[in-house]
């Protein structure tokens, strides 16, 4: 619909998506809705909060896996710095752990990318009215999966252990002793039911705990 046929007050939306083609396609499709206007687009997590503070969208549509900080971390920032902006997570990875983390970060909705754009547009409208919108299949999976068994520090150590980092590297990065790092790694390996830290990282990521 031509822009001059829009209602007097459109729903202002920010898009955060690192893939340029996907971001452009979403912006184009949402822009065809008569009551939705995409006012800002960003490709990194670090740019989300500043863009929201400048453009003041009603809804921030965030991917999870972004360069810089994740969409989940950005959602937590927005809860503190722009509480009037509703956050809707849209991701390829429908992992129960991600859903739990999104809700803890203050997100108002969580959808996977394989749905129709009409469903996404309706979700944007619904979260703006105060509803919480969650993919039903993912909600059921999250309930059956249970909470994340890893502590915050165990998650930090696993995240820091990627790319061949040594125990000494992790200890220096997190300002911990090497024995403490080994203890956290051992606990994380046990809780994930894996044999080593590489497997623990893979398992924790697959479940959406990292």
């Amino acid at each position: 619909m031509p822009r001059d046929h829009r209602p007097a007050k459109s729903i202002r939306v920010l898009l955060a998506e690192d893939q340029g083609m996907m971001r452009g396609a979403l912006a184009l499709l949402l822009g065809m809705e008569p009551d939705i206007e995409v006012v800002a687009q960003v490709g990194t997590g670090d740019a989300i909060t500043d863009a929201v503070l400048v453009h003041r969208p009603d809804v921030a549509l965030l991917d999870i896996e972004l360069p810089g900080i994740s969409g989940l971390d950005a959602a937590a920032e927005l809860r503190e710095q722009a509480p009037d902006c509703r956050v809707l997570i849209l991701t390829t990875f429908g992992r129960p752990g991600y859903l739990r983390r999104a809700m803890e970060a203050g997100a108002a909705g969580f959808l996977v990318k394989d749905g129709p754009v009409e469903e996404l547009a309706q979700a944007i409208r619904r979260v703006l009215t105060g509803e919480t919108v969650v993919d039903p299949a993912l909600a059921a999976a999250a309930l059956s999966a249970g909470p994340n068994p890893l502590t915050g520090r165990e998650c930090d150590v696993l995240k820091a252990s990627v790319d061949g980092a040594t125990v000494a590297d992790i200890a220096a990065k997190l300002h911990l002793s090497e024995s403490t790092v080994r203890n956290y790694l051992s606990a994380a390996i046990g809780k994930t039911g894996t044999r080593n830290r590489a497997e623990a990282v893979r398992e924790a990521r697959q479940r959406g705990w990292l």
Side-chain angles (χ1 to χ4, degrees):
M1 182 177 290
R3 185 172 294 273
D4 57 354
H5 286 181
R6 290 178 180 273
K9 185 174 183 353
S10 296
I11 301 171
R12 297 168 59 82
V13 173
L14 172 139
L15 288 179
E17 162 65 54
D18 63 326
Q19 297 183 24
M21 186 176 294
M22 171 69 77
R23 187 170 65 246
L26 273 174
L28 180 63
L29 291 170
L30 288 174
M32 296 174 69
E33 296 292 321
D35 58 341
I36 294 176
E37 180 182 7
V38 177
V39 296
Q41 303 177 44
V42 298
T44 67
D46 296 335
I48 292 171
T49 298
D50 285 346
V52 166
L53 294 176
V54 169
H55 297 281
R56 295 293 177 182
D58 302 302
V59 177
L61 187 60
L62 311 182
D63 193 6
I64 291 179
E65 298 194 354
L66 295 166
I69 67 172
S70 73
L72 298 176
D73 291 333
E77 282 190 4
L78 293 179
R79 179 177 55 187
E80 298 298 324
Q81 299 193 41
D84 292 337
C85 179
R86 301 284 279 172
V87 172
L88 181 58
I89 299 293
L90 181 66
T91 181
T92 304
F93 305 102
R95 296 169 180 165
Y98 278 166
L99 173 57
R100 285 181 176 274
R101 290 169 60 197
M103 296 299 104
E104 290 169 359
F110 194 109
L111 297 175
V112 292
K113 291 181 181 177
D114 59 0
V117 71
E118 293 82 9
E119 181 179 304
L120 175 58
Q122 190 58 30
I124 290 171
R125 298 180 185 107
R126 289 172 63 192
V127 299
L128 197 58
T129 67
E131 288 187 57
T132 298
V133 182
V134 177
D135 179 271
L138 185 58
L143 286 174
S144 64
N148 179 1
L150 301 174
T151 67
R153 264 312 194 186
E154 288 163 2
C155 288
D156 291 341
V157 168
L158 284 182
K159 290 176 184 175
S161 70
V162 298
D163 300 327
T166 66
V167 169
D169 293 334
I170 300 168
K173 181 176 182 179
L174 299 179
H175 307 291
L176 299 171
S177 70
E178 293 185 24
S179 62
T180 299
V181 168
R182 290 192 184 92
N183 288 339
Y184 283 135
L185 286 173
S186 178
I189 290 167
K191 289 178 179 180
T192 54
T194 53
R195 296 171 298 179
N196 54 56
R197 62 175 173 169
E199 289 184 2
V201 170
R202 284 197 298 270
E203 182 68 14
R205 281 181 168 170
Q206 184 60 36
R207 292 180 177 271
W209 295 339
L210 294 184

